[in-house]
Amino acid sequence: MSLRFYNTLSRTKEDFSPIDKKEVRMYTCGPTVYDYAHIGNYRAYIFADTLKRVLLYSGYKVKHIMNLTDIDDKTICDSQKEGKTLKEFTEFYTEEFYKDIKSLNILHPVKFTKATDYIAEMVDIIKKLLDKKLAYKSEDGSIYFDIKKFKNYGRLAHLVLENQKENAAGRIKTDEYDKDNVQDFALWKAWDEKDGNVFWKTDLGKGRPGWHIECSAMSMKNLGEELDIHTGGVDNIFPHHENEIAQSEGSTGKHFVKYWMHNEWILVDQKKMAKTFKNFYTLRDVIDKGINPLAYRFWLLMGHYRTRMNFVWEALEGSGIALKRLYRLYIELGEDISDISSKYQQKFKEYLEDDLDTPRALTLLWDLLKDDKISNADKKATVLDFDKVLGLGFENLKEEIIPENILKLAKEREEVRNKKNFKKSDELREKINSLGYEVKDMSDGQKVSKL
Ligand SMILES: [Zn+2]
């Protein structure tokens, strides 16, 4: 079986075949660095990371680029509120983003590209679009893409053409808008007072780029005019990715992206987790609750990337407990590592090659650990092999093994403590100590370790 991915362009699963057989060229829309990313945002990066790991696992080389939006409406507005320069403001959140992706075991792309490093490339594309009469300058000096001139506009988002024509009379300057506002969009925004000292003086005049042109410039500069895969969240389909196609294909005349892949939302109380709804959590909240950030990765992998998942803390706590159990089972396999089980490996590949079926891959991991016919050393080799894709951190696991009987006593102690029976709780602590272990009460519960 070969790799099959769901392509948003065709709305079907397609066989994967990269343009250059040796190397896959992949681009991911990264964060806008104006705040801490919330865990809903991280679904997009964990999805892209899983996809990349599956490609690597299948033997492809992958050239992966992820951008950092360090100039747009939001970064300008919020840096001014804090009285900081755009650079100093965005660099802080960039560093925080790097820390977060490390704790989520997300492999680094070959390059993180900052939008402000690609202004010249953006100007070049806009000039080409002006030459081809696909763009025009408005009274205030801003430059807009003329969507009526681009015959494929709306292909990715499946916009209904009639509605599009009716609504396409106006223009929109803000970076983000919805399908009810299909209009000519800004490629270049002429400077106005709200921009303060954020501007570039270019052949296009004094101003700054629109958000959408940034990704066209960064992706094509680093990966060429034709990409294999472009990823993002479903909320990027319109307008962002639709506009990227218009700009890129409009300027080059080539087919910009072969496979568009999008992950679904994380919901909170049936509503998309988003800053605007104020229903979001960051990884700091996860860590503050004593939950391993990898439990979030694990929880996401339990769902398919194209299904919406409803976030509740109980579910994340549950996945934290399940992950700990997996770690324990792995540690109990002992020190020896032998051969990968080809039977399990084949199935694992089969599931992931079918549009990244991570829920089935995880079920297989549990099955493997329970399978009496496989030796512990072979199991260990197979788990490590699976973890090249899952990224759950088995390789670096150094947790000490606490015997089951000690854990049982600790659990008993926790229960009596919750009922405020401190006498019994102290007795149990002494018993645990007498067996060579100690128990400490932390903000997130008990911690048991060897004395
Ligand atoms: Zn983008």
Side-chain angles (χ1 to χ4, degrees):
M1 195 174 150
S2 62
L3 280 165
R4 283 171 67 75
F5 297 138
Y6 183 87
N7 190 346
T8 309
L9 260 183
S10 63
R11 303 288 200 270
T12 54
K13 273 191 213 176
E14 295 177 13
D15 286 336
F16 178 70
S17 158
I19 301 160
D20 169 356
K21 297 287 168 244
K22 288 188 223 103
E23 189 175 57
V24 178
R25 299 193 289 265
M26 171 174 161
Y27 184 85
T28 297
C29 283
T32 301
V33 280
Y34 74 118
D35 200 347
Y36 298 108
H38 61 68
I39 57 174
N41 300 135
Y42 282 115
R43 185 175 199 189
Y45 313 130
I46 290 172
F47 152 60
D49 185 59
T50 308
L51 170 61
K52 179 165 73 178
R53 285 169 178 267
V54 168
L55 290 164
L56 293 168
Y57 192 77
S58 299
Y60 288 106
K61 272 172 78 180
V62 182
K63 188 171 184 190
H64 182 212
I65 300 287
M66 190 192 289
N67 76 293
L68 301 163
T69 298
D70 61 349
I71 162 86
D72 77 327
D73 299 347
K74 292 186 283 199
T75 45
I76 293 177
C77 175
D78 287 12
S79 62
Q80 286 171 349
K81 268 190 219 156
E82 288 196 14
K84 289 181 177 155
T85 66
L86 187 68
K87 191 168 161 37
E88 133 187 66
F89 178 76
T90 55
E91 276 180 357
F92 172 80
Y93 289 111
T94 301
E95 286 307 314
E96 293 302 308
F97 176 70
Y98 289 160
K99 283 184 212 162
D100 282 0
I101 60 167
K102 188 162 186 257
S103 65
L104 290 167
N105 234 350
I106 292 173
L107 302 174
H108 266 233
V110 289
K111 207 195 265 182
F112 281 107
T113 57
K114 289 186 179 174
T116 48
D117 292 335
Y118 291 82
I119 303 291
E121 285 78 5
M122 297 174 205
V123 170
D124 277 350
I125 298 173
I126 298 170
K127 278 181 172 172
K128 276 185 199 149
L129 295 172
L130 283 168
D131 286 348
K132 292 187 172 188
K133 307 265 184 283
L134 287 166
Y136 59 90
K137 209 167 200 166
S138 69
E139 316 73 52
D140 75 339
S142 295
I143 299 170
Y144 289 87
F145 190 96
D146 189 345
I147 59 170
K148 287 189 300 303
K149 299 263 180 70
F150 184 70
K151 72 171 178 11
N152 281 330
Y153 195 80
R155 194 181 50 186
L156 181 72
H158 289 202
L159 299 178
V160 181
L161 224 64
E162 289 75 52
N163 293 352
Q164 182 192 324
K165 274 181 191 153
E166 250 172 54
N167 294 332
R171 342 180 242 257
I172 193 146
K173 202 169 177 181
T174 49
D175 287 327
E176 291 179 69
Y177 52 94
D178 57 25
K179 278 189 186 178
D180 294 334
N181 290 294
V182 182
Q183 296 175 60
D184 292 351
F185 60 91
L187 298 162
W188 184 259
K189 303 184 184 190
W191 181 85
D192 72 23
E193 275 171 18
K194 285 202 291 306
D195 292 340
N197 57 6
V198 179
F199 61 82
W200 283 263
K201 280 185 173 161
T202 72
D203 296 350
L204 305 173
K206 178 178 168 181
R208 62 177 175 99
W211 170 42
H212 313 294
I213 194 71
E214 298 178 6
C215 283
S216 283
M218 289 183 273
S219 58
M220 293 201 291
K221 171 74 179 176
N222 289 286
L223 298 169
E225 292 171 345
E226 293 171 296
L227 280 57
D228 292 301
I229 303 175
H230 194 312
T231 74
V234 284
D235 42 345
N236 283 155
I237 297 174
F238 187 84
H240 187 48
H241 291 165
E242 195 66 62
N243 292 352
E244 273 190 53
I245 294 175
Q247 298 158 160
S248 303
E249 299 191 358
S251 67
T252 68
K254 292 181 183 162
H255 187 67
F256 177 41
V257 173
K258 209 169 168 188
Y259 305 92
W260 283 95
M261 294 177 70
H262 296 96
N263 61 281
E264 261 296 347
W265 290 337
I266 293 295
L267 305 174
V268 179
D269 297 330
Q270 304 309 320
K271 240 172 138 180
K272 176 193 170 194
M273 185 184 286
K275 280 214 75 181
T276 35
F277 299 137
K278 295 193 170 52
N279 62 351
F280 65 94
Y281 305 105
T282 70
L283 268 193
R284 277 138 213 85
D285 299 320
V286 173
I287 294 163
D288 285 349
K289 282 188 181 275
I291 303 171
N292 181 348
L294 287 178
Y296 181 61
R297 183 181 180 109
F298 184 51
W299 179 70
L300 285 180
L301 296 179
M302 284 192 247
H304 190 266
Y305 75 90
R306 285 193 292 114
T307 57
R308 291 186 178 184
M309 291 177 79
N310 199 33
F311 180 84
V312 283
W313 281 107
E314 290 74 18
L316 189 60
E317 279 155 8
S319 85
I321 292 166
L323 184 61
K324 275 187 193 164
R325 182 161 158 67
L326 271 180
Y327 286 166
R328 177 160 308 286
L329 289 171
Y330 173 78
I331 287 169
E332 285 171 357
L333 294 174
E335 295 291 313
D336 295 340
I337 301 178
S338 195
D339 300 321
I340 297 167
S341 155
S342 56
K343 186 183 100 181
Y344 276 93
Q345 190 183 44
Q346 207 184 328
K347 273 194 180 171
F348 185 72
K349 263 189 99 173
E350 201 179 294
Y351 295 157
L352 291 165
E353 286 181 344
D354 181 16
D355 197 31
L356 315 183
D357 195 344
T358 54
R360 287 182 86 186
L362 283 179
T363 308
L364 190 71
L365 174 65
W366 287 106
D367 290 347
L368 165 75
L369 287 162
K370 280 185 271 178
D371 190 335
D372 296 337
K373 294 187 199 77
I374 312 270
S375 75
N376 280 357
D378 284 359
K379 277 185 190 172
K380 201 155 181 174
T382 314
V383 172
L384 288 177
D385 180 64
F386 286 9
D387 207 36
K388 286 180 194 160
V389 174
L390 303 173
L392 296 174
F394 285 98
E395 201 176 5
N396 303 317
L397 216 53
K398 285 193 183 70
E399 199 189 49
E400 44 179 333
I401 309 169
I402 312 290
E404 284 295 330
N405 62 328
I406 303 291
L407 288 175
K408 226 174 131 188
L409 287 171
K411 192 162 188 296
E412 217 178 296
R413 179 178 173 271
E414 194 170 32
E415 280 164 13
V416 295
R417 244 180 91 82
N418 288 342
K419 287 179 194 152
K420 304 213 182 308
N421 185 347
F422 296 112
K423 188 168 171 282
K424 180 78 181 154
S425 148
D426 286 345
E427 279 171 28
L428 285 163
R429 178 200 290 277
E430 275 165 34
K431 192 162 182 196
I432 291 168
N433 289 350
S434 71
L435 293 165
Y437 289 85
E438 69 171 345
V439 55
K440 280 186 192 149
D441 296 306
M442 320 288 275
S443 59
D444 58 322
Q446 304 184 115
K447 189 167 167 30
V448 187
S449 54
K450 252 187 183 152
L451 265 175

